Amino acid sequence: MGRPARVSPDRILAVAALEFAERGFAGARVDRIARRAKVNKAMLYYHFKSKQHLYHALLRRMFSLAAARLQTVAASNAPPADKVDRALAGIAAFIEEHAFFPAIMMREIAEGGAHLDRETLQTLSAVPRAFAAIVQEGVISGAFRPVHPFFAYFNMLAPIVFFQAAAPIRREITHLHVLDLGGASPADFVRHMQDATRRLLARDAGPARKSTS
Amino acid sequence: MGRPARVSPDRILAVAALEFAERGFAGARVDRIARRAKVNKAMLYYHFKSKQHLYHALLRRMFSLAAARLQTVAASNAPPADKVDRALAGIAAFIEEHAFFPAIMMREIAEGGAHLDRETLQTLSAVPRAFAAIVQEGVISGAFRPVHPFFAYFNMLAPIVFFQAAAPIRREITHLHVLDLGGASPADFVRHMQDATRRLLARDAGPARKSTS
DNA sequence: GTCTATACTTCGATAGAC
DNA sequence: GTCTATCGAAGTATAGAC
C-alpha cells in the first residue's frame, strides 16, 4: 500500500520469521533468508548488522505486539472473568496471525533465552505482567480464588503455544495412523483452555486436595 | 558399578543429551560432544553412524522411558483421580531425573518432528495414549466429566514442560529485576498443575460457559 | 577398537566495483 | 543502495595407521 519500498526490511523480517521458526537460530541460513526475501545477501547485512541483530529485531517486534494486545485487554473495565476469556482469545488470535511465533518462542525458551538481551526481556515481561494483573484484580475483588498469578499464566499460555506448535507432529501422527487424536480444531482447544482457566480461577469449591506425589 | 566400559556409548548419549538440549540439533557440535564425553570423534562415528543417528537413538530411549513410566501408572488399579495425580507426579519426576528433556522436546516440537521417524513416533505416541486411557476410564466410570482426553493431556503436560524449560529465563528475569515472579518452586508448580487438572476433570458444577472470543 | 590427520562442504560476513 | 566475488572459520565425516 505505501510507497514502492525497494528492499523493505519488513519483507526481510517476515521471511526471517519463517526461517527462524522452521530451523531455529543455529539452523537458519542467512543465504536462504536473503534468497526467499529476494534481496541480495550483502543488502541484508546492510540493513541488519548480523544474523543476531536480525533475530533480535524480530523478537522485539513480536513481544512488543503481543504485550500491547494483552495490555489492551487488561486496561478495559470488563469483569475479571471476561478479561481472562478475552486474554486467551487475544493470544489465540495473535498466534493465528503469526503462526510462526509459537515455534520461535518454544525454541527461545529451550535455548535458555540465549538470544534475549535486557531490552527484549523487558518487552517480553510485559506479557505475563499484563495477565497477572488481570488475575490479581480478580483475586482481590473476590471474583477468583487465590491462585499464583504466574502459575495461572504458565497454565494457560503453555498449552496454547504447545498445541499450535505441535500441529505438524499431530498431522504426521494422524497421517501415519499411529494414534487417533479425535480430530479437534485449534479453536476447540482454545475454548477448552478458556473453560479450564475459568475452572482454575473459579471461587466455588473444587475437589479436596489430596497429595499423591 | 558395572565393568570398566571403555568407550561407553551410554556416556556419549548422556553428553549428547546435554548438547542437544542446550543447542538444538543444528546447533549441537559433534566435536563438542566427543570432547565432553572424552571419546575420540572417530570413535563416536564408529558407535553412531552420524549426528542424526545419535540424535535418533537418544530420542527413542527417552520416549521409551517416559512411556513406560506412564503405562505403569495407567495399569495400576487406583481410582482415576489418583492415577491422574500420580501421572503428573511421574512426569515431574521423570523431568527432574532428565532435566535436559524438556528443552529437547520443545525443540523437537518446534522443528515439526523433522527428526522423528515412524518408530520414534510410535514410541512417543504411547505417552499421550497412556494418559488418555486414564482420563477415559474416569469419564466412563462417571468419576470425571466428559473432557477431550488429548486436550486434557496437552493441558497438563505443556505447562510442566514449559515451566521446567523456562527455568533459565526465569532466573535471568529475576536476576535482572525485570519482573518479580514471586519465587515459587517447581514442586509448587507441579502441585498447582495437579490441582488444576483435578479441577478440570472434576464432575461438580464449574462456572457456566460464556464465550467472549 | 582407538587415534591422527585431513578431505570436503557450508556458512557468516565483507571487500570493493558500480 | 545494490551487486559479484570471495575470504576465513567452522563443521561433518572419513581414510588409514596402529
Side-chain angles (χ1 to χ4, degrees):
Chain A
M1 289 305 166
R3 71 203 58 166
R6 278 180 285 190
V7 158
S8 167
D10 279 358
R11 198 174 63 229
I12 296 176
L13 277 175
V15 169
L18 298 179
E19 177 77 5
F20 284 128
E22 283 169 20
R23 324 244 182 182
F25 183 80
R29 298 293 166 241
V30 176
D31 284 304
R32 197 158 34 212
I33 294 173
R35 182 164 41 78
R36 294 213 285 184
K38 285 178 200 137
V39 298
N40 190 281
K41 184 168 60 161
M43 205 58 225
L44 187 155
Y45 276 100
Y46 175 81
H47 284 289
F48 301 93
K49 193 181 158 188
S50 69
K51 188 181 177 180
Q52 276 263 9
H53 279 73
L54 174 58
Y55 186 71
H56 265 78
L58 172 65
L59 283 189
R60 269 199 289 269
R61 167 178 293 200
M62 296 309 301
F63 290 145
S64 180
L65 284 173
R69 193 175 296 218
L70 265 199
Q71 280 160 355
T72 300
V73 173
S76 79
N77 50 14
D82 285 0
K83 284 191 187 181
V84 168
D85 262 7
R86 285 178 200 168
L88 274 276
I91 288 169
F94 182 80
I95 286 176
E96 195 162 350
E97 291 162 28
H98 310 274
F100 57 86
F101 190 57
I104 291 182
M105 196 168 160
M106 291 187 73
R107 289 187 200 265
E108 193 52 42
I109 290 171
E111 211 92 10
H115 308 288
L116 301 179
D117 54 5
R118 202 205 164 97
E119 186 190 339
T120 309
L121 272 176
Q122 194 85 40
T123 312
L124 164 62
S125 70
V127 176
R129 193 180 290 122
F131 187 81
I134 296 174
V135 173
Q136 233 151 2
E137 182 197 342
V139 171
I140 291 173
S141 77
F144 298 155
R145 69 193 185 89
V147 171
H148 193 305
F150 295 111
F151 282 5
Y153 171 72
F154 274 102
N155 193 354
M156 71 90 202
L157 180 66
I160 292 182
V161 171
F162 232 77
F163 191 85
Q164 173 70 21
I169 291 187
R170 284 205 314 279
R171 271 194 293 276
E172 183 77 3
I173 282 181
T174 302
H175 179 253
L176 290 178
H177 299 289
V178 166
L179 181 65
D180 181 15
L181 293 170
S185 71
D188 288 336
F189 188 67
V190 172
R191 275 188 289 275
H192 166 98
M193 286 311 301
Q194 284 177 322
D195 185 43
T197 307
R198 252 180 283 109
R199 283 169 187 276
L200 172 72
L201 297 171
R203 254 202 142 270
D204 53 16
R209 176 88 191 88
K210 183 176 161 210
S211 178
T212 324
S213 65
Chain B
M1 299 292 171
R3 70 202 59 166
R6 278 182 283 192
V7 158
S8 168
D10 280 358
R11 199 175 61 229
I12 295 175
L13 277 174
V15 169
L18 298 178
E19 177 77 6
F20 284 128
E22 283 170 17
R23 323 245 182 182
F25 183 81
R29 298 292 165 242
V30 177
D31 283 307
R32 198 159 32 210
I33 294 173
R35 182 165 40 80
R36 295 212 286 184
K38 285 178 200 135
V39 298
N40 190 280
K41 184 169 60 163
M43 206 57 227
L44 187 154
Y45 276 100
Y46 174 81
H47 284 289
F48 302 92
K49 194 181 158 187
S50 68
K51 187 181 178 181
Q52 276 263 9
H53 279 73
L54 174 59
Y55 186 71
H56 265 78
L58 173 65
L59 283 190
R60 270 199 288 269
R61 167 179 291 199
M62 296 309 301
F63 290 145
S64 179
L65 284 174
R69 192 175 296 217
L70 265 199
Q71 279 160 356
T72 300
V73 173
S76 77
N77 50 13
D82 285 0
K83 285 192 187 180
V84 168
D85 262 6
R86 286 177 198 170
L88 275 276
I91 289 170
F94 181 81
I95 286 176
E96 196 162 349
E97 290 162 29
H98 311 275
F100 57 86
F101 190 56
I104 290 181
M105 195 169 162
M106 292 187 73
R107 289 188 200 265
E108 194 50 45
I109 289 172
E111 211 92 11
H115 308 289
L116 302 178
D117 56 5
R118 202 205 163 97
E119 187 191 337
T120 310
L121 272 177
Q122 195 85 39
T123 312
L124 164 60
S125 70
V127 177
R129 194 180 290 123
F131 187 80
I134 296 174
V135 172
Q136 233 151 2
E137 183 198 341
V139 171
I140 290 173
S141 78
F144 298 156
R145 68 192 185 90
V147 171
H148 193 305
F150 296 110
F151 282 5
Y153 171 72
F154 274 102
N155 193 353
M156 72 91 203
L157 181 67
I160 292 181
V161 171
F162 232 77
F163 191 84
Q164 174 70 21
I169 291 187
R170 284 206 313 281
R171 271 194 294 277
E172 183 78 5
I173 282 181
T174 302
H175 178 253
L176 289 178
H177 299 290
V178 166
L179 181 65
D180 181 14
L181 292 171
S185 72
D188 289 336
F189 188 67
V190 171
R191 275 188 289 276
H192 165 97
M193 285 311 301
Q194 284 177 322
D195 185 43
T197 307
R198 254 181 282 109
R199 284 169 187 275
L200 172 72
L201 298 171
R203 255 202 142 270
D204 54 16
R209 176 88 192 86
K210 183 176 158 208
S211 178
T212 324
S213 65

